[in-house]
Amino acid sequence: MRRMTARPANAHQARLLRLLRDGGPNSRAQLGDQVDLSRSKLAVEVDRLLETELVVADGLAASRGGRRSHNIRLNPHLRFLGVDIGATSVDVAVTNAELEILGHINQPMDVREGPVAVFEQVLSMAAKLRASGLAEGFDGAGIGVPGPVRFPEGIPVAPPIMPGWDGFPVREALSQDLGCPVMVDNDVNLMAMGEQHAGVARTVHDFLVVKIGTGIGCGIVVGGEVYRGTTGSAGDIGHIQAVPDGRPCACGNRGCLEAHFSGAALARDATEAAEQRLSPELASRLEANGTLGAADVAAAAAAGDATALELIREGGNRTGQVIAGLVSFFNPGLVVIGGGVTGLGHTLLAAIRTQVYRQSLPLATGNLPIVLGELGPTAGVIGAARLISDHLFSPA
Amino acid sequence: MRRMTARPANAHQARLLRLLRDGGPNSRAQLGDQVDLSRSKLAVEVDRLLETELVVADGLAASRGGRRSHNIRLNPHLRFLGVDIGATSVDVAVTNAELEILGHINQPMDVREGPVAVFEQVLSMAAKLRASGLAEGFDGAGIGVPGPVRFPEGIPVAPPIMPGWDGFPVREALSQDLGCPVMVDNDVNLMAMGEQHAGVARTVHDFLVVKIGTGIGCGIVVGGEVYRGTTGSAGDIGHIQAVPDGRPCACGNRGCLEAHFSGAALARDATEAAEQRLSPELASRLEANGTLGAADVAAAAAAGDATALELIREGGNRTGQVIAGLVSFFNPGLVVIGGGVTGLGHTLLAAIRTQVYRQSLPLATGNLPIVLGELGPTAGVIGAARLISDHLFSPA
DNA sequence: CTACTTTTTCCACTCACAGGACAAAGGCGC
DNA sequence: GCGCCTTTGTCCTGTGAGTGGAAAAAGTAG
């Protein structure tokens, strides 16, 4: 179970590895078309990569009319682990070097139990995936946590919803436990990287990803790179004031967006509406399950329940108002909406769009798509795999 | 009056030119300490730069104990023109290659008269500076305009306060008239570059510059580079909603920040207060001048006028609220306040700070200075010179 | 089988660059 | 003033990256 520890020796090799990751198997000639290197130089670098076993030869490429060429591909035995820790559940997935998901487990969990308990669970999930024959070991792992991270060290800093994680050396600890390189980032940033790699944001360089889950966060991509801010807390839009003198928020202020719309706020509002008998649909669901969540509201709305629709619409308006401000400020080329509440679907999206298109200036909104994420719950783990592969596929 | 048309031939030369621009004259040895090149290579590149006359030898350097060395400096005959077009006035300045201002003229002007009239005035101002012996000609010019710009082409796009400029080929036209390379950018971006080059933001990589003049705009610097957004309208924060259902704004919406606080809004509020006899101080000033501006409010506030102070405080609160949102989102390392209202000074700053520190989370505000710009009205022209020098001091 | 492509390998040549040797020019202690 | 040390500037050669042409290898189309 020895793993590949080799790293690209120079920028050319790193470039080639990324091309193979993003474009799949390629012949030497096809690679040559993309990298602006002489054939000889390219051949040398490919040979060196073959020596390190980071890439392997893999059959014949499709003929383009002349001599048939051999394909080069990333070593099919390479395995990355993607971990996406949410507030109430955790996703663990195994990918190959092309970041295709080979296996994916989701389990409920509570971050507030602290890093030790959570990582115990994560490690057992990883072991389960390994046991099922998907991987003999991992060449790298990306971890997403629901809070700000000091990125270079991979350490959460002052995370509001996960006390007990503050200062815990996630990167180092997991690197020990897994025996492979580890990178840690905010879950929203990973979602952005996921949508950038395999989702709706493949061709855009500057975009925002708004994740509405238990809380609300925003991933910022500038020039194709995730922007994390000075202290790693960029994108923390949940506590932007959406309603002057609005509801009290856990952060101590009033009217925070997150207090008015988020998975948690929505669940509370729905329960309240059900208890007050404003919505028969929600009331019956509350009775059936004992608790209500975003999914229940989505179902009620789909059934035409007026109260549920109104909740979604109002939340969408609030969110849209905040996003409108961000659009004016940031002038992105795309806004992606994702997270647990994606199930609310078009009603939510329509409300957000209405606000943004109404409030921001035409120059910024003129050609601005606002869309739902394409990858759903896999965005995070794909982003995590992408994170560690970016790290490993860069010059040592 | 032949000008230097040479450009650095490679990245090393560009690097050296920028070092000399930012650090002033240096000996070969001192340059060597900063660039990580072998002495031989460095000597070759310096010699080539000397050949092109972009740099010149300039006397002996201070002794560091051994053989005394000759200083190298940027050609002292190089001249850049910095032009900062505001809504109601225009600044034109001449700098040397080290971006030191050699001469500076400010004149009132109205952008709404259109590009042809404005540039006529700008050209005559430039001619005046040249006639005074400060320059024989210009090696490059940077132009700032108060609206969004399609940066690569140097063309204003859909600028709200300067109709008639939409699509006018500023860069090309001025390049013809001046006979030198020209770059065009938003005035706020130039202010940010100015403060970055010679002001408070010298050591920060990610920061915001909020310019409160006739309107309100924001310069965004990410990783030391100005961020302009997908369509060049990034930083357009004047039309973010600050007051739900607030005052009507020229843009068609209600409650825009700019409608509630800006040079124009402040002048209107002050005039109103004076006419309603709420403030004797402002009333007497109105009577004396026939009109009121930010400077009058500043003076009244300095004299202890309660109404003026209240206007400033309320404007600062509104601005601070919007900035608080931007700080949560962007997590900058510094916020600079500048523009015409800087004269309102500490009262304004205190109001803004209060709001930001109250509303944004500690992780983002913990070590976040919010300060006034250091350069005042010269920030724009220095930024303009910096813009064109960055362009010229990059590999051809 | 022939003519033409495309792919791959081989090889000679260029060029950027590093770094050592050495010369030039100064400071400093004696 | 004199030797010794330090710093600066110049020269020169070796090395390794990279280019591009030629030719070989392995196909396809007619």
Side-chain angles (χ1 to χ4, degrees):
Chain A
M1 213 185 64
R2 209 185 79 260
R3 304 308 307 168
M4 324 276 160
T5 52
R7 290 278 291 277
N10 59 41
H12 297 311
Q13 293 185 14
R15 178 87 200 282
L16 292 171
L17 292 174
R18 289 175 191 217
L19 281 174
L20 291 171
R21 176 192 66 186
D22 301 339
N26 265 270
S27 69
R28 283 170 164 84
Q30 283 172 309
L31 288 174
D33 294 343
Q34 302 172 70
V35 293
D36 193 43
L37 278 178
S38 65
R39 295 176 311 264
S40 12
K41 178 63 179 164
L42 181 79
V44 170
E45 297 298 355
V46 170
D47 285 346
R48 288 187 191 154
L49 285 175
L50 284 167
E51 268 174 42
T52 65
E53 294 191 351
L54 277 168
V55 305
V56 298
D58 174 51
L60 296 174
S63 170
R64 289 204 281 182
R67 168 176 175 173
R68 211 181 273 160
S69 61
H70 290 259
N71 260 343
I72 303 294
R73 69 177 303 172
L74 289 168
N75 190 319
H77 296 110
L78 285 169
R79 289 292 179 272
F80 296 136
L81 187 71
V83 179
D84 186 3
I85 297 173
T88 58
S89 75
V90 58
D91 284 88
V92 177
V94 178
T95 77
N96 58 14
E98 276 127 23
L99 310 191
E100 292 162 342
I101 293 185
L102 306 177
H104 185 179
I105 311 181
N106 174 285
Q107 283 184 6
M109 177 226 51
D110 187 346
V111 263
R112 286 168 302 183
E113 288 181 13
V116 178
V118 169
F119 287 135
E120 205 170 300
Q121 183 172 352
V122 166
L123 289 173
S124 91
M125 290 165 81
K128 192 186 294 178
L129 287 166
R130 199 157 56 186
S132 67
L134 295 172
E136 296 171 12
F138 300 110
D139 301 281
I143 318 287
V145 297
V149 171
R150 209 156 67 219
F151 184 70
E153 299 92 349
I155 297 179
V157 276
I161 69 163
M162 38 197 271
W165 289 68
D166 191 9
F168 186 87
V170 174
R171 182 177 179 183
E172 202 185 313
L174 273 181
S175 184
Q176 288 277 327
D177 289 340
L178 289 167
C180 66
V182 170
M183 294 289 281
V184 184
D185 203 348
N186 183 324
D187 61 338
V188 191
N189 290 343
L190 293 190
M191 181 167 168
M193 295 183 78
E195 292 288 349
Q196 183 184 28
H197 181 81
V200 284
R202 264 173 300 225
T203 59
V204 195
H205 290 99
D206 304 304
F207 64 94
L208 299 179
V209 175
V210 178
K211 180 176 182 181
I212 312 175
T214 306
I216 291 193
C218 177
I220 308 170
V221 176
V222 175
E225 299 276 315
V226 170
Y227 171 77
R228 300 185 172 85
T230 300
T231 57
S233 77
D236 198 349
I237 64 171
H239 299 280
I240 291 183
Q241 194 183 68
V243 181
D245 292 317
R247 295 185 189 167
C249 174
C251 75
N253 280 314
R254 292 182 148 270
C256 294
L257 175 58
E258 209 167 284
H260 286 267
F261 187 63
S262 65
L266 191 62
R268 213 185 45 218
D269 289 349
T271 308
E272 200 172 305
E275 284 168 350
Q276 295 185 359
R277 297 278 150 199
L278 294 173
S279 157
E281 190 75 36
L282 287 173
S284 74
R285 292 187 151 263
L286 176 60
E287 219 159 302
N289 304 341
T291 168
L292 286 176
D296 298 297
V297 181
D305 182 89
T307 309
L309 283 170
E310 184 51 31
L311 281 178
I312 297 172
R313 225 167 348 229
E314 194 175 317
N317 281 340
R318 304 245 189 264
T319 313
Q321 207 157 322
V322 170
I323 294 180
L326 303 184
V327 166
S328 294
F329 172 75
F330 185 71
N331 186 21
L334 170 70
V335 175
V336 182
I337 311 288
V341 301
T342 316
L344 305 180
H346 205 72
T347 313
L348 176 66
L349 200 56
I352 292 177
R353 281 181 176 154
T354 305
Q355 287 295 322
V356 175
Y357 292 141
R358 182 192 299 160
Q359 284 199 21
S360 294
L361 295 182
L363 182 56
T365 58
N367 196 15
L368 173 66
I370 302 178
V371 300
L372 294 177
E374 219 172 43
L375 305 175
T378 63
V381 288
I382 292 179
R386 163 85 187 219
L387 175 70
I388 188 64
S389 80
D390 268 351
H391 175 71
L392 294 176
F393 294 168
S394 63
Chain B
M1 216 184 64
R2 209 184 81 258
R3 304 308 307 168
M4 323 278 159
T5 51
R7 291 277 291 277
N10 58 43
H12 296 310
Q13 293 186 15
R15 178 86 200 281
L16 291 172
L17 290 174
R18 289 176 191 217
L19 281 174
L20 291 171
R21 176 192 67 187
D22 301 340
N26 264 271
S27 69
R28 284 172 163 83
Q30 284 173 308
L31 288 174
D33 294 342
Q34 301 173 69
V35 293
D36 193 43
L37 280 177
S38 64
R39 282 171 309 173
S40 20
K41 177 63 180 164
L42 181 80
V44 169
E45 297 298 355
V46 170
D47 285 346
R48 288 187 191 154
L49 285 175
L50 284 167
E51 268 174 42
T52 66
E53 295 192 351
L54 277 168
V55 305
V56 299
D58 176 50
L60 296 173
S63 170
R64 289 204 283 183
R67 170 176 174 173
R68 209 181 277 160
S69 63
H70 290 259
N71 260 343
I72 302 294
R73 67 178 304 172
L74 288 167
N75 190 318
H77 296 110
L78 285 169
R79 290 291 178 274
F80 295 136
L81 187 71
V83 179
D84 186 3
I85 298 172
T88 59
S89 74
V90 58
D91 285 89
V92 177
V94 178
T95 77
N96 59 14
E98 276 128 21
L99 310 191
E100 293 162 343
I101 293 186
L102 306 178
H104 185 179
I105 311 181
N106 173 284
Q107 284 185 6
M109 178 227 48
D110 187 347
V111 264
R112 285 169 303 182
E113 288 181 14
V116 177
V118 168
F119 287 137
E120 205 170 301
Q121 184 173 352
V122 166
L123 289 173
S124 91
M125 291 165 80
K128 192 186 294 179
L129 286 166
R130 200 158 55 185
S132 67
L134 295 172
E136 295 172 12
F138 301 109
D139 300 280
I143 318 287
V145 296
V149 171
R150 209 156 66 221
F151 184 70
E153 297 93 351
I155 297 179
V157 274
I161 70 163
M162 39 197 270
W165 289 68
D166 190 9
F168 186 86
V170 174
R171 181 176 179 183
E172 202 184 314
L174 274 180
S175 183
Q176 288 277 328
D177 289 341
L178 289 167
C180 66
V182 170
M183 294 289 281
V184 184
D185 203 348
N186 184 324
D187 61 339
V188 192
N189 290 343
L190 293 190
M191 181 168 167
M193 295 183 78
E195 292 288 349
Q196 183 184 28
H197 180 82
V200 284
R202 265 173 300 226
T203 59
V204 196
H205 290 100
D206 305 304
F207 64 95
L208 299 179
V209 175
V210 177
K211 180 176 180 181
I212 312 176
T214 305
I216 291 193
C218 178
I220 308 169
V221 177
V222 175
E225 299 276 314
V226 170
Y227 172 77
R228 299 185 172 85
T230 301
T231 57
S233 77
D236 198 349
I237 63 171
H239 299 281
I240 291 182
Q241 194 182 68
V243 181
D245 292 317
R247 295 185 190 168
C249 174
C251 75
N253 280 313
R254 293 183 149 271
C256 295
L257 174 59
E258 208 167 285
H260 285 267
F261 187 63
S262 64
L266 191 62
R268 212 184 46 219
D269 289 349
T271 308
E272 200 172 305
E275 284 168 350
Q276 294 185 0
R277 298 276 149 200
L278 294 173
S279 157
E281 189 75 36
L282 287 172
S284 75
R285 293 187 150 262
L286 177 58
E287 220 159 302
N289 304 341
T291 169
L292 286 176
D296 298 296
V297 181
D305 181 90
T307 308
L309 282 169
E310 185 51 32
L311 282 178
I312 298 173
R313 229 173 340 237
E314 193 174 319
N317 281 340
R318 305 246 189 262
T319 312
Q321 207 157 323
V322 171
I323 294 180
L326 303 184
V327 166
S328 294
F329 172 73
F330 185 70
N331 186 20
L334 170 70
V335 174
V336 181
I337 311 288
V341 301
T342 317
L344 305 180
H346 205 74
T347 312
L348 176 67
L349 201 57
I352 292 176
R353 282 180 176 152
T354 304
Q355 287 295 322
V356 175
Y357 292 142
R358 182 193 301 161
Q359 284 200 21
S360 295
L361 295 183
L363 182 55
T365 58
N367 196 15
L368 173 66
I370 302 179
V371 299
L372 294 177
E374 220 172 44
L375 304 176
T378 63
V381 289
I382 292 178
R386 162 87 186 218
L387 175 70
I388 188 64
S389 80
D390 268 352
H391 175 71
L392 294 176
F393 293 168
S394 64

